[in-house]
Amino acid sequence: MLSAMLAGAAVWLIASQVLPHEPEIGDPVVVVARAVPIGATLTDADLRIERRLTDQRPVESLTMASAAVGRTAAGPLSEGEVLTPARLQGTAQLAGLPAGRVAVSVPLVESGLLASIRPADVVEVLAAGTGQTVSSGATVLSLERPGDGVLGQGSDSPGHVVLALTTDEARAVAAAMTSQTGPAGFVLALHPS
């Protein structure tokens, strides 16, 4: 009896190694293979494909690496993060925000608050010099810290942010930029949530 059980177990072990395995469960998604800094252009080496069950991935997750290669990271990307279009610079960053929002690049006159700001934070935007509020509820889409150079600024730039603004607020930013006599730019205020 014992020898029959051992023989059966041996046959099962051998068969399990020879027989084809069940297909992997889940759908393919693009996953960040290593930490990627904000503003970096993604390459094949930054990405990998994994299978995830529906409840283990965002609905809008990318399914092909080619959809992300050559695109720019809108914020820091963490290793193992499932990649979505909203994490890449472009119009997808406006997804989920109220209709009528536009993305606007806003230069800053000081960088002190940049270490505390993250994408999706809501900030108040003040014109440098006048202190005029041009937006009381701008959503941060991405940011460039001094020295990053992502948005074409030199290392002496205090930084830039890309904000989601209403069209009226975007016009106010443009008007404030042309009327400034001192350093052109804006100051951000971060309110408690």
Side-chain angles (χ1 to χ4, degrees):
M1 176 81 165
L2 181 59
S3 61
M5 288 175 52
L6 290 174
V11 168
W12 178 81
L13 283 172
I14 292 170
S16 67
Q17 298 300 318
V18 176
L19 294 175
H21 294 281
E22 290 184 29
E24 291 186 56
I25 297 174
D27 298 316
V29 293
V30 179
V31 175
V32 180
R34 59 185 177 191
V36 175
I38 182 175
T41 300
L42 296 174
T43 66
D44 283 321
D46 298 318
L47 309 168
R48 67 177 181 257
I49 301 294
E50 291 183 4
R51 290 190 172 273
R52 298 282 173 93
L53 296 174
T54 302
D55 62 350
Q56 295 176 334
R57 61 180 176 84
V59 173
E60 297 172 352
S61 55
L62 297 178
T63 59
M64 297 185 310
S66 60
V69 171
R71 303 277 306 274
T72 303
L77 304 176
S78 301
E79 182 178 345
E81 176 180 344
V82 176
L83 200 55
T84 63
R87 299 292 282 135
L88 305 172
Q89 287 186 359
T91 56
Q93 290 178 276
L94 295 168
L97 293 175
R101 298 286 170 153
V102 295
V104 179
S105 175
V106 176
L108 302 178
V109 293
E110 59 87 27
S111 62
L113 194 59
L114 280 180
S116 303
I117 294 177
R118 300 285 178 265
D121 283 347
V122 177
V123 296
E124 183 174 354
V125 184
L126 307 167
T130 66
Q132 173 193 0
T133 298
V134 294
S135 174
S136 59
T139 302
V140 176
L141 299 177
S142 61
L143 49 104
E144 172 190 310
R145 291 180 176 85
D148 286 349
V150 176
L151 299 173
Q153 298 297 305
S155 60
D156 57 343
S157 167
H160 256 73
V161 290
V162 177
L163 302 171
L165 302 173
T166 66
T167 52
D168 287 342
E169 291 169 337
R171 285 188 195 97
V173 166
M177 285 292 296
T178 59
S179 67
Q180 290 177 344
T181 56
F186 297 86
V187 175
L188 302 182
L190 184 60
H191 294 280
S193 46

